[in-house]
Amino acid sequence: MIEARVFCSTRTGTQLLMLGGVHGDEPCGTVALDRLAQELSSGQIELTAGRLTLVPRANPKAGAANERYKDINLNRVMQKHENPHHYEHFIANSICQHVDHVDLVLDLHAVTAPSAPFTFLDWDTPATRSWIKALNVPYALTGWDALYPGETGSTTISYANGKGKTALVVECGQKTNPTTADIAYRIARLTLAHLGLTGPYADDTPPAQTKIVRMTKVVWKETEGKLTGAFENFSPVTAGQVLAQLDNGSTLTADADGVIIMPKATAVMGEEWDYLAVPE
């Protein structure tokens, strides 16, 4: 159902799974992992240890249609389903089988609004901290699991960690920006070098001191309306600031001084509209 490209070294080492296209309208991971697969196949990059599994199109039908998903959000049902009935349930079963047979998982995503690359740090371990530091990303978010209580096992990260694996989701930038694929490729190459699967990779981006930001609220679009500004990811907001004007005349405001996370001006009814966060 999904195509996996597997590359093995003659030397033992880390077994790593990289996913792209979990959301079909986020092409950066697909482009980056296709490029990586071609370079490994041609010998341009040598795998010096371990085993690497690449899944560039984790949600093939959604990717072909440039849609976030076909039936249901794959990254909310990432667990094994004994009686699958949605397309994404079958996909999740296949991906989880791959996760079960590796040591680490990297899941490449992108967001709607303009954004610097960032990752998540809800599963905070020395290994995760070391990996994030190697990726040179400006932000790491905590608090995701607290916003979705009772959904343990429903994302790539929570399923992998529940199986004793180390895993990261990296949001590489704005999904419609072609350069986001270059960032995804850089994240993949830095990961390979950090884990010792390849030699060093020269990162020409300025060093970043990763800031940890705690997510405090998810704002669902439950009434028609629109955001009040062209918010970028991590745009600062102040307590009481109007963030959305609803068609019924009411408003949505920020609860506290902080930043707005993953604002989605195109959100439809029932989707996450944005998140609010404060510095950790």
Side-chain angles (χ1 to χ4, degrees):
M1 185 171 289
I2 59 173
E3 181 182 0
R5 301 286 303 276
V6 181
F7 299 89
C8 297
S9 170
T10 56
R11 294 178 57 200
T12 59
T14 298
Q15 300 182 60
L16 170 66
L17 170 66
M18 291 188 180
L19 301 170
V22 165
H23 293 139
D25 61 348
E26 299 171 13
C28 66
T30 299
V31 174
L33 297 188
D34 277 345
R35 176 183 171 185
L36 185 58
Q38 190 279 325
E39 292 175 344
L40 286 162
S41 297
S42 67
Q44 185 176 344
I45 299 173
E46 179 187 4
L47 199 68
T48 56
R51 187 185 75 194
L52 172 64
T53 302
L54 301 179
V55 180
R57 292 165 183 81
N59 195 334
K61 287 186 178 179
N66 193 33
E67 297 173 345
R68 186 170 177 82
Y69 51 82
K70 294 305 293 181
D71 294 336
I72 193 170
N73 189 340
L74 177 57
N75 211 28
R76 300 294 182 274
V77 296
M78 194 66 75
Q79 56 192 4
K80 291 181 180 176
H81 301 270
E82 292 185 4
N83 298 297
H85 54 277
H86 290 300
Y87 172 71
E88 276 79 10
H89 287 170
F90 292 95
I91 293 292
N93 284 350
S94 183
I95 292 174
C96 288
Q97 288 285 353
H98 284 292
V99 173
D100 290 348
H101 294 94
V102 298
D103 304 313
L104 298 100
V105 180
L106 174 65
D107 188 7
L108 298 168
H109 284 256
V111 295
T112 302
S115 177
F118 66 96
T119 187
F120 295 84
L121 191 57
D122 280 315
W123 298 82
D124 192 351
T125 67
T128 305
R129 290 258 180 172
S130 176
W131 189 356
I132 290 173
K133 183 178 180 180
L135 298 184
N136 195 27
V137 293
Y139 297 97
L141 302 182
T142 66
W144 177 271
D145 289 344
L147 295 179
Y148 294 92
E151 293 195 11
T152 301
S154 65
T155 69
T156 52
I157 299 306
S158 55
Y159 179 81
N161 279 280
K163 294 294 183 177
K165 321 292 182 176
T166 299
L168 276 185
V169 164
V170 179
E171 303 281 356
C172 300
Q174 188 177 29
K175 62 185 179 182
T176 56
N177 188 335
T179 64
T180 301
D182 295 329
I183 296 172
Y185 175 81
R186 177 174 64 84
I187 295 296
R189 290 296 308 274
L190 288 170
T191 292
L192 291 174
H194 170 67
L195 298 175
L197 274 72
T198 66
Y201 177 68
D203 181 14
D204 57 2
T205 59
Q209 180 66 43
T210 303
K211 299 177 182 178
I212 300 176
V213 180
R214 179 169 56 85
M215 304 171 75
T216 57
K217 184 177 183 180
V218 53
V219 179
W220 297 91
K221 189 168 187 179
E222 299 174 331
T223 304
E224 291 291 356
K226 61 181 181 180
L227 297 178
T228 57
F231 295 107
E232 296 189 2
N233 206 21
F234 301 102
S235 288
V237 297
T238 57
Q241 179 180 342
V242 176
L243 303 179
Q245 180 70 50
L246 305 182
D247 289 356
N248 63 13
S250 61
T251 59
L252 298 178
T253 61
D255 297 338
D257 294 349
V259 294
I260 190 169
I261 301 293
M262 293 182 279
K264 188 176 182 181
T266 59
V268 299
M269 295 287 288
E271 281 190 331
E272 297 99 328
W273 213 350
D274 60 66
Y275 300 80
L276 300 176
V278 296
E280 182 78 344

